[in-house]
Amino acid sequence: MADLIAKLRADGIQKRVVQEGRGELPDYQDGTKATFHYRTLLCSPDQRVLDDSRTNDKPMELIIGKKFKLPVWETILCTMREGELAEFLCDTKHVVLYPTVSKSLRNIAAGKDPLEGQRHCCGIAQMHEHHSLGYPDLDELQQNPQPLIFAIEMLKVEGRGSYRQDPWAMSDEEKMKAVPLIHQEGNELYKQGKVQEAAAKYYDAIACLKNLQMKEQPGSPDWIQLDQQITPLLLNYCQCKLLSEEYYEVLDHCSSILNKYEDNVKAYFKRAKAHAAVWNAAEAQADFAKVLQLDPSLGPVVARELRNLESRLRQKDDEDKVRFKGIFS
C-alpha cells in the first residue's frame, strides 16, 4: 500500500485514509465494477462541497477499463478496499474535465438526459464550445480550474461476470440487445404496481437508445428509427411519472414528443392529464379536444376526464371563496 501511495503522490495525488477497509486490496482488472459514494470539495479554506452522491441517496457505479471521462477516478479507486473511506487531493491536471462530468452526473440525478448538450467532440472541445454548463459553480470551476478533493467511500467491488452490466457501460451491440429486455422488465414491474422501479427501467432503455442516437446524423433514417423506438418508452416513463405526481416532467417530455410527432394521441392524453393536475384548465381542455379529433373512439374516456376536471375546478372555486371571504369582508 505504501508503494501505491508513493506512486499517487508522484503523480500529483495525495491520499489520506479516513477509515480502513476490509480484507485484501481487490484485483481491479478491466471489467471490475466499483460502487461508491463520493463527495467533491474545492481545495479552499472552507472546502466548499460541489457534489455529494449521498444527497440523492444513489451511489456511483464505475466499470474499470471503460475509459470513464475522469481517468483519475479509476486511478484512485484502484487503491481502495471495500469499506474504506479516503480523501484524495488531486492536482488540477487530473480534474480539468470535472465540470463536464459533474454536469452529466447532475443531469442523471435530476432525471435528465446525461448526454444533454453533448456533440461529436471531445470533452476539451465541449468546454470551449459552450459558454455555460447551466450551473454557476461549474461555470466558475471551468473558467478557473483548480485542485479538487474527492472523499470516497468504497461500498462494493464486484469482479467481471459477477454482476449485470449497467446500460451506460455496454457496447453499442449490447445496448441494442438489452433494450427489449429492459423494456419488458419495466412492463412487468409496472403490472406489479412497482411504478418507481418500472420508471427506472424505462429510463435505462431510453438512455441506451439516446446514446446510440447521438452517434447518428439527426434526421437520418437510422436516427429516426431510434427515435421511434424511444417514443413508446418515453410515454411509458411519463405514465409512471403521472402516477408519481411528477406532472411537470410529464409536460416537458410529452411536449418534446409532440414537437416531432403532432399526431401522437397518447402524448396529448398524458399531457392533458398533467395539465389538469396542475390546474392548467385551458391547456388540458385543448389537449383533450385534440385527443378526440385524432381518435373519436376515446370520447367516453375524455368525457370522464373533463367531468373530473370540472368537478375539481368547482371544488377549488368553492374553497377559494371560503378562504378569501374573511379577507374581504
Side-chain angles (χ1 to χ4, degrees), residues 12 90-97 144-148:
C90 302
D91 282 357
T92 303
K93 66 179 181 179
H94 293 296
V95 297
V96 173
L97 289 179
N144 303 288
Q146 57 184 280
L148 293 176

Side-chain angles (χ1 to χ4, degrees), residues 153-202:
E153 181 183 3
M154 182 62 73
L155 302 176
K156 184 165 56 175
V157 179
E158 300 169 273
R160 183 182 181 89
S162 65
Y163 60 90
R164 177 172 177 176
Q165 216 169 358
D166 289 323
W168 61 265
M170 298 176 182
S171 67
D172 289 354
E173 183 179 356
E174 289 170 336
K175 287 186 178 77
M176 284 303 296
K177 290 181 179 178
V179 165
L181 298 176
I182 300 172
H183 190 170
Q184 183 59 36
E185 289 173 359
N187 290 346
E188 291 300 321
L189 288 166
Y190 184 83
K191 290 176 184 176
Q192 296 168 23
K194 299 177 179 179
V195 176
Q196 298 288 353
E197 294 89 340
K201 290 293 182 181
Y202 295 137

Side-chain angles (χ1 to χ4, degrees), residues 281-292:
E283 291 86 346
Q285 290 163 348
D287 278 351
F288 280 131
K290 193 67 177 179
V291 170
L292 279 179

Side-chain angles (χ1 to χ4, degrees), residues 8-154:
L8 288 177
R9 189 177 295 114
D11 195 27
I13 303 169
Q14 297 179 41
K15 177 178 180 178
R16 183 175 75 88
V17 177
V18 178
Q19 175 182 296
E20 295 287 347
R22 303 182 296 273
E24 299 295 323
L25 183 69
D27 181 11
Y28 285 96
Q29 296 181 358
D30 284 355
T32 300
K33 178 179 176 181
T35 303
F36 59 97
H37 273 300
Y38 69 92
R39 196 155 52 103
T40 306
L41 307 96
L42 293 177
C43 186
S44 57
D46 62 346
Q47 292 193 347
R48 179 159 58 91
V49 176
L50 287 175
D51 294 298
D52 189 342
S53 61
R54 290 192 179 279
T55 301
N56 299 296
D57 198 29
K58 182 172 176 57
M60 176 73 181
E61 296 176 347
L62 190 148
I63 309 295
I64 303 300
K66 282 289 185 178
K67 297 182 179 179
F68 185 64
K69 274 191 173 182
L70 201 66
V72 71
W73 271 13
E74 281 199 23
T75 301
I76 63 180
L77 290 173
C78 288
T79 71
M80 299 186 71
R81 294 176 292 162
E82 284 192 347
E84 182 177 336
L85 179 60
E87 292 183 352
F88 300 87
L89 171 57
C90 302
D91 282 357
T92 303
K93 66 179 181 179
H94 293 296
V95 297
V96 173
L97 289 179
Y98 184 78
T100 55
V101 172
S102 176
K103 176 185 177 180
S104 293
L105 294 175
R106 292 182 186 187
N107 283 347
I108 290 171
K112 300 178 183 178
D113 181 358
L115 301 174
E116 182 181 284
Q118 296 184 20
R119 293 183 176 87
H120 302 276
C121 56
C122 68
I124 294 288
Q126 287 174 21
M127 288 177 62
H128 291 290
E129 179 184 355
H130 300 295
H131 176 67
S132 173
L133 293 169
Y135 299 95
D137 56 344
L138 297 183
D139 288 338
E140 180 184 348
L141 182 60
Q142 179 173 278
Q143 293 164 12
N144 303 288
Q146 57 184 280
L148 293 176
I149 299 169
F150 298 114
I152 307 288
E153 181 183 3
M154 182 62 73

Side-chain angles (χ1 to χ4, degrees), residues 257-277:
I257 292 172
L258 292 168
N259 285 336
K260 293 177 287 187
Y261 308 105
E262 296 179 354
D263 60 348
N264 194 298
V265 178
K266 290 184 178 180
Y268 275 115
F269 187 78
K270 294 181 194 303
R271 192 173 72 172
K273 292 194 69 169
H275 274 310

